[in-house]
Amino acid sequence: PSPDGRHVLAMKTDRPQSHPVHMVEVAPGDQLQPRLKTIDYLKPGDRIARARPAVFELESGRRMDVEPGVVSNPWSINRISWHPDGDRVRMLYNQRGHQTLRYIELDVRDGSTRVLIEETSPTFVDYAGKLFLHVLDGGDQAIWMSERSGWNHLEMIDLVTGVRRPLTEGPYVVRGVDDVDEEQRLIRIRVL
């Protein structure tokens, strides 16, 4: 639910397709004859489970969907959080194929969807090893990890204007963030 309790986000998930794969266990431990085993295993190109987020206004029942084109082919939608003002819900969208990563926002006042941060690559966005997103208190700035410069670095992003400002730069790689101290305005990072 939103901080003020007026809205709730729900995920409708379309089921993945069934793709049975048959295997023969040639020497099972409990019998002499081989045994046929069937498991459900999706392959590249198969239809995976697809999440579709929507926000409901509890008093009126009004439904607001995230713009379908912004989350058209999700691998995952996670990191869901509400802006402190309660009027906007945010989530991290990872496109199937891992070439687009978006931090998006649905405004419950008018139902509009906005892309706050977008990272794309013609090959692969490393969402497992090189993803860092820290939204600062107040909800209008974020620290984001990006390889846009050719090196993995941190940026401060104004989530209202979209302006990006490098926090680290140079011929080295930021491997991770150990701590963000907002009060002291310090970030402890690992580099190589």
Side-chain angles (χ1 to χ4, degrees):
S2 61
D4 60 11
R6 293 178 42 233
H7 298 89
V8 66
L9 178 119
M11 290 280 191
K12 179 179 180 184
T13 304
D14 297 333
R15 290 178 173 247
Q17 78 179 67
S18 177
H19 191 140
V21 175
H22 307 288
M23 300 179 289
V24 175
E25 185 179 1
V26 292
D30 63 339
Q31 67 185 44
L32 294 175
Q33 298 299 319
R35 176 182 299 139
L36 179 64
K37 293 178 93 175
T38 301
I39 62 168
D40 207 35
Y41 184 80
L42 297 178
K43 305 235 175 147
D46 287 350
R47 188 183 70 249
I48 62 174
R50 180 175 168 235
R52 292 186 283 153
V55 171
F56 294 89
E57 185 176 52
L58 295 176
E59 189 174 301
S60 68
R62 179 174 70 120
R63 176 183 174 151
M64 294 158 274
D65 293 300
V66 172
E67 185 179 313
V70 176
V71 292
S72 60
N73 191 12
W75 172 258
S76 64
I77 298 175
N78 54 30
R79 305 279 302 264
I80 298 164
S81 64
W82 288 87
H83 188 280
D85 67 13
D87 289 335
R88 293 166 278 167
V89 64
R90 295 170 172 171
M91 58 205 76
L92 188 65
Y93 162 80
N94 183 354
Q95 188 175 48
R96 186 176 184 183
H98 314 298
Q99 293 173 308
T100 300
L101 197 59
R102 293 185 184 120
Y103 189 50
I104 61 174
E105 173 180 270
L106 176 67
D107 191 320
V108 299
R109 294 170 293 198
D110 62 8
S112 64
T113 302
R114 203 165 66 97
V115 176
L116 303 173
I117 303 171
E118 182 172 81
E119 202 70 33
T120 61
S121 171
T123 55
F124 184 78
V125 175
D126 188 353
Y127 67 97
K130 296 180 181 171
L131 172 64
F132 183 78
L133 170 64
H134 177 87
V135 178
L136 298 172
D137 286 344
D140 292 330
Q141 292 182 311
I143 300 169
W144 177 256
M145 191 177 279
S146 174
E147 291 185 305
R148 287 174 177 234
S149 69
W151 299 89
N152 197 48
H153 281 292
L154 297 174
E155 301 175 328
M156 177 70 76
I157 301 179
D158 186 310
L159 299 176
V160 176
T161 65
V163 172
R164 292 175 175 245
R165 184 174 53 89
L167 295 176
T168 61
E169 54 189 338
Y172 64 93
V173 173
V174 173
R175 291 285 179 204
V177 177
D178 291 329
D179 186 50
V180 175
D181 185 334
E182 292 187 38
E183 191 174 298
Q184 297 290 319
R185 310 271 309 159
L186 295 172
I187 303 171
R188 192 172 67 229
I189 61 173
R190 283 175 272 130
V191 299
L192 182 68

